[in-house]
Amino acid sequence: MEDMSEAAEMGEHLAVAQALREQLWPHLDTDAPRWVLALLDPNHPVAVHDPLHVTRLAQRQPPVEWLPVRREDFLSSPELWPQLLVLRAPDRSGWIDGPLLDLTVAHALERRTSINGAYVCGWLVTDRDPADIARQMKRALQQRMSFLQQRALAWFEPHRWALLMASEDARAWLRTAMAGVHSWSWIDLAGHLNETLFTGHNEAPVAGALTGADWARQQRVPQARQVVLALTKADIDLPADAERHIDQALLQADVLGLILLEDRLCFALHSIGIGPQWHRHPAATACIECATNGESTLADALDALDDETLHRIAITAGEHVGTKTSKEFMA
């Protein structure tokens, strides 16, 4: 059975890798010089013996090139700076390192739900020299939060990127920040290959255009990762657009007045695992009120309900009737 599972995983990796090649090819079938780069994030490292660790990449044949992206917030730890890995250079007659591309896809799929974050963040096609892209990314990492304050934002992480794609203001900012990039591909929490197309290719100054709502979404990402971990442990399939759905559930927990992290995670778990309307049932509403009043945790209040009431809550949710109970979610 284990061999069959490994074979299925290998088949998934190869299928996604082939889909990525097909996604990249229209951007490369041109006389214009084009690079294909993979973005690695050593802030979420792999083990030293991993074939994608920079020390192993340095030993790879044919030789591999990569460029660091300077992070002002990690000036004392340059080993944590993002790395742009060159998979294709225009002076190689369209050559792509196929095995290395496959390896990056396998890593992206395996780490997509990791609470520790992704090491392979995505793949980009550009007609600019990678050194220019590295400089652009360096500038874009410093985002203005207010008139006087700036803060680094690792917007290239797949989870964060998916949330930015849900915001019209953020998409407009990224079109400016990534001038010269034709496409950005990434793998989301559900394992789907996605592509962001960029229409503007003229370099322009990077403006801090992220709204307060954009920043709030980004600040909820650490909690969202805990929700993903719990859903994975509970063997619950993540829905399409999981990043946005989880963030909406955490935002709803805020609106309802749930303050404790345990309660917020419990609320989000039920919103994804059962359905987004589960909290509208009167019994669920009463449990939430107990949690907001400090009478009990949300999980304990829900677990005190009988099976019939829990079943009716699931019906109210309109999604997966008979899924995990609160105790099974939070175990």
Side-chain angles (χ1 to χ4, degrees):
M1 291 295 292
E2 187 173 339
D3 290 343
M4 291 178 62
S5 176
E6 289 180 1
E9 280 189 16
M10 180 63 70
E12 180 186 18
H13 295 165
L14 294 177
V16 176
Q18 181 57 32
L20 177 59
R21 287 183 173 85
E22 294 172 1
Q23 198 172 87
L24 295 173
W25 178 247
H27 305 291
L28 304 177
D29 188 18
T30 173
D31 293 331
R34 296 278 169 85
W35 280 261
V36 176
L37 311 173
L39 182 63
L40 309 182
D41 186 9
N43 189 41
H44 303 299
V46 291
V48 175
H49 62 266
D50 192 283
L52 274 184
H53 192 277
V54 290
T55 57
R56 296 289 301 276
L57 289 172
Q59 303 167 9
R60 191 177 177 88
Q61 293 296 328
V64 179
E65 305 168 41
W66 64 88
L67 296 92
V69 177
R70 180 185 177 100
R71 284 192 65 162
E72 300 293 332
D73 54 330
F74 289 159
L75 287 180
S76 61
S77 303
E79 70 277 7
L80 301 181
W81 293 355
Q83 304 288 329
L84 289 171
L85 182 64
V86 179
L87 297 178
R88 189 238 198 209
D91 60 355
R92 295 175 183 163
S93 302
W95 172 83
I96 294 180
D97 189 332
L100 186 54
L101 179 69
D102 293 344
L103 187 60
T104 60
V105 170
H107 271 66
L109 283 168
E110 289 166 3
R111 291 274 293 264
R112 68 182 186 271
T113 60
S114 172
I115 196 169
N116 295 319
Y119 180 66
V120 177
C121 292
W123 304 265
L124 53 149
V125 178
T126 178
D127 54 14
R128 292 189 180 277
D129 187 279
D132 290 338
I133 298 300
R135 284 190 288 269
Q136 282 181 241
M137 290 188 64
K138 178 245 181 185
R139 293 195 299 269
L141 282 170
Q142 292 298 315
Q143 265 302 293
R144 188 175 297 281
M145 295 180 66
S146 65
F147 182 69
L148 295 176
Q149 187 180 15
Q150 283 192 336
R151 179 180 171 185
L153 175 65
W155 44 264
F156 49 80
E157 295 178 8
H159 194 137
R160 296 183 183 280
W161 185 279
L163 292 176
L164 292 171
M165 288 302 98
S167 165
E168 184 176 347
D169 290 329
R171 290 196 305 271
W173 166 72
L174 279 169
R175 281 195 294 271
T176 300
M178 298 310 295
V181 172
H182 294 267
S183 76
W184 185 293
S185 300
W186 83 99
I187 291 173
D188 63 19
L189 288 172
H192 301 146
L193 178 65
N194 300 271
E195 182 180 28
T196 300
L197 297 174
F198 296 90
T199 56
H201 308 304
N202 296 318
E203 188 169 2
V206 176
L210 296 186
T211 66
D214 290 324
W215 277 110
R217 292 187 191 99
Q218 296 298 321
Q219 290 172 333
R220 288 191 289 267
V221 167
Q223 293 180 28
R225 285 178 176 160
Q226 294 188 52
V227 175
V228 172
L229 178 64
L231 289 168
T232 303
K233 286 183 174 180
D235 199 26
I236 294 174
D237 292 334
L238 291 168
D241 204 11
E243 296 85 353
R244 186 174 60 84
H245 288 306
I246 294 172
D247 182 69
Q248 288 177 336
L250 291 171
L251 177 59
Q252 184 65 43
D254 277 340
V255 171
L256 293 174
L258 293 169
I259 298 174
L260 293 179
L261 177 61
E262 178 183 355
D263 292 339
R264 291 164 54 75
L265 296 181
C266 179
F267 181 91
L269 285 169
H270 283 74
S271 296
I272 302 301
I274 298 176
Q277 304 302 318
W278 76 275
H279 63 283
R280 296 186 179 277
H281 188 279
T285 300
C287 290
I288 292 169
E289 289 177 354
C290 285
T292 58
N293 293 334
E295 298 173 19
S296 73
T297 66
L298 179 57
D300 286 344
L302 288 168
D303 284 334
L305 300 176
D306 58 54
D307 290 343
E308 176 63 24
T309 302
L310 291 171
H311 183 74
R312 292 186 178 281
I313 290 175
I315 293 175
T316 299
E319 296 286 337
H320 311 296
V321 175
T323 55
K324 309 276 184 180
T325 65
S326 298
K327 262 178 196 171
E328 290 173 308
F329 269 140
M330 304 302 289

